Amino acid sequence: RQRIHQLQAIASIRRQRHDFAREVRKDNMSLFDVLLGIHLLWYDSDPPGEIIDSWKKHIKAAKKYKPASIATLARFMRKQEYSAIGDDQFRADYYCLGCVMDEKCGAEIVLCCLGAITAAAFKMETRIGSSGKRFYLVDGNGNALSPVNDWSCTPLPPSLKLYIWDRPSLVRYILSMLFLYAVGSDSFRYINTIGSCLAEIATGKDSLEFLPYPYNKPTDPENPLDKTE
C-alpha cells in the first residue's frame, strides 16, 4: 500500500509539472502563478495555500503604504527588509517565492518579480529589466528600483541599455538557476524535475536525452563517458 501511495504521489508531481510547462508555453499564467508554480516544482510537498497566505499577508502590509508609485513601493519593500543576496551566494531558496517572502531575502530577479506582482496588485504597471548582472524594476516614467542597492529609486541613465524580460523568459531564467543548483549539489531528483520542465517548456517534450552520463544511460556501457555513436 505504501508503494502505491508513492507511485500516486510521483504521478501527481509529474502531472503538475506537465500542466505547469504547458501553461508556460501558452503564456497563460500570471506572474504570481508562475512564481508559485516554480516554488512547487522544487518544494512539491509544500501546501500552495501556505504560500498564498504569505502573499495575502504581504499585500495586507503593503496596503498601509498605499503604493501608488514606484517610490512608495520602494519604501514598502525597504521597510519589510527585503534584501538581495550577494553575487557569491547561491541557494535554491533564493529562487522560490515562499522562501523569499518568509526569509525576506532572495535573488535580484525574484525580488524584482515580487515587486512587480506587488505593484500589479495596486494597479501599477512595471517591467523587469536587466543590464549586465543587475536587475531592475522599471515604471513607465523611466524610474528604476534596484533591490541590490537597498531598493533605491532613481531615473534610468539614458546610456543604460536594459533587456526587458517577458514571463516565459523569467521562467526559463529562474528554472535554469534552479537546474544549475541541482547539478552543483548532485541532486538527481531535482535535475530530473527541473530539467524535464525546462525541456518541455522549450520543446514540448520532457525528454532529458541531451544530458550526458550519469544523468542518462551511456551509449557505450563499456565506456560510459563516451556519448558518441
Side-chain angles (χ1 to χ4, degrees):
R1 181 176 297 176
Q2 183 179 3
R3 179 60 177 165
I4 292 173
H5 287 318
Q6 288 175 338
L7 291 173
Q8 287 174 336
I10 292 170
S12 176
I13 291 169
R14 192 169 293 161
R15 280 197 304 272
Q16 176 181 305
R17 188 178 71 221
H18 289 327
D19 291 344
F20 177 74
R22 183 181 65 248
E23 293 306 304
V24 170
R25 279 177 63 82
K26 293 179 180 178
D27 198 18
N28 280 344
M29 305 175 76
S30 69
L31 184 53
F32 173 79
D33 288 335
V34 162
L35 296 171
L36 176 62
I38 291 173
H39 180 109
L40 295 175
L41 281 176
W42 192 269
Y43 290 109
D44 49 50
S45 61
D46 280 3
E50 288 186 1
I51 303 165
I52 293 170
D53 286 344
S54 294
W55 166 244
K56 289 178 179 178
K57 290 177 183 177
H58 172 87
I59 291 301
K60 184 177 180 180
K63 286 180 180 178
K64 298 177 183 178
Y65 291 79
K66 300 177 181 178
S69 71
I70 203 168
T72 52
L73 176 64
R75 282 200 296 273
F76 166 67
M77 299 298 280
R78 225 173 6 248
K79 198 71 174 178
Q80 293 296 302
E81 299 183 341
Y82 282 107
S83 61
I85 58 169
D87 292 336
D88 59 341
Q89 296 175 288
F90 192 30
R91 279 172 42 198
D93 287 4
Y94 298 145
Y95 295 89
C96 296
L97 177 64
C99 301
V100 171
M101 288 192 293
D102 289 344
E103 298 174 13
K104 305 296 184 183
C105 66
E108 283 183 65
I109 191 169
V110 178
L111 289 173
C112 283
C113 287
L114 179 57
I117 59 178
T118 304
F122 294 93
K123 311 301 181 185
M124 264 194 293
E125 291 188 9
T126 58
R127 297 175 298 164
I128 295 170
S130 66
S131 178
K133 292 183 178 180
R134 301 279 74 94
F135 285 86
Y136 303 90
L137 186 64
V138 185
D139 68 9
N141 297 316
N143 299 308
L145 296 187
S146 172
V148 78
N149 291 320
D150 197 24
W151 297 96
S152 62
C153 180
T154 57
L156 283 171
S159 59
L160 186 66
K161 294 183 179 180
L162 284 185
Y163 173 81
I164 301 300
W165 295 74
D166 57 18
R167 276 193 303 270
S169 296
L170 289 168
V171 175
R172 289 192 294 270
Y173 182 92
I174 296 172
L175 286 178
S176 294
M177 297 306 290
L178 287 173
F179 183 74
L180 181 61
Y181 181 84
V183 172
S185 57
D186 206 23
S187 172
F188 276 43
R189 175 191 174 189
Y190 289 114
I191 289 170
N192 179 68
T193 298
I194 305 300
S196 295
C197 188
L198 272 169
E200 189 165 357
I201 289 170
T203 67
K205 300 178 182 179
D206 66 353
S207 171
L208 289 178
E209 293 178 353
F210 64 90
L211 289 177
Y213 176 84
Y215 307 116
N216 275 312
K217 294 179 180 179
T219 303
D220 180 0
E222 295 183 0
N223 186 15
L225 296 182
D226 183 8
K227 290 289 288 183
T228 60
E229 294 289 338

